[in-house]
Amino acid sequence: MFSVSLLLAACGDAGGSTQGGTSDGDGTSSDAGGTTADPSSGAASEASETSEASGDASGSASAPTTTGDGSGDGSSSSGTTGEDGFGPGPWDQGVYIPEEPQKDGDPALGYEALLTKGYVSCGVPWGLWPLVKPFIGGWADRPPLPGRTGKNAEVPYHWNVHSKNGADIVSQNCLQCHAGSFNGQLIVGLGTADFDFTDDISQMFANVWIPDIPIPGLEEFTRFLNRTKALGPATVMHTVGTNPAEIIAVTLVAHRDRHTLEWFDELQYPLPEMVVASDPPPWWRARSTRCSTTAWPAAITAAP
């Protein structure tokens, strides 16, 4: 879900902008797709046949009686409420949300898109990548992902090389926040807990010089630099390991018109006066139930 937020907020418009609050695009979204999660998955428990949630005059609802692991098959486990091993808690409150039809998907194609396609459409032109990489330090100081081929085998695992308007562009992917190490092994889908987000990425890119020569993809680089300038200090964490995912989305959205999604360099809405840190969960705790036996084991084991 957060992936969709960044997708819509980051580079999804027609071109780069200049300083002074001017708009740089038509508000269209970028060229990467998103997926939706099954609302019946996770910790959502199913009500028993003998109890139904009902609303009162104030709009609140009585809590359904729940048993089992929330799989939705109606079976009970140890007799405790909520998930297996958990006693009564917040998961027992609220209104039961029935299952809705879900779109079919191809896990293999989804995993390929994750590792090779343009999640963020703008980025660094391939020809400039060797010059830019030293300036951004830890943001690019990660090993390649085993199993990738071509130019993607030459960039860190959390960057993708993809084509945009005929030019090869290097941009970040979901693994910036959703891949981590355990016992020295890179695990795709594990929330990042060791990355250093205490540096201001806008200051890193401020030292990058854009050559005045016709390099393919240069306009996408200009747009990318404008986005990093917008992020600035609001997305700097106080400690290593905390994650700015939520505030990145909030900051990018605050630079867009709420009706047209048009981008402006100057803030259109105020930002919270606090450091908002996130803790990305492992994907296998937020998966769609239809993917549990096919997509995720393949995705997890694909990164030795």
Side-chain angles (χ1 to χ4, degrees), residues 116-177:
T116 64
K117 304 300 182 181
Y119 167 62
V120 177
S121 59
C122 58
V124 183
W126 174 253
L128 291 180
W129 176 250
L131 301 177
V132 172
K133 185 177 178 182
F135 285 98
I136 55 178
W139 289 80
D141 188 20
R142 294 276 163 148
L145 183 68
R148 293 207 290 187
T149 60
K151 293 178 179 178
N152 276 297
E154 303 179 39
V155 297
Y157 64 80
H158 56 294
W159 292 75
N160 284 357
V161 183
H162 56 94
S163 180
K164 179 67 182 296
N165 296 329
D168 284 340
I169 300 296
V170 188
S171 61
Q172 291 164 296
N173 61 34
C174 303
L175 304 189
Q176 175 73 58
C177 301

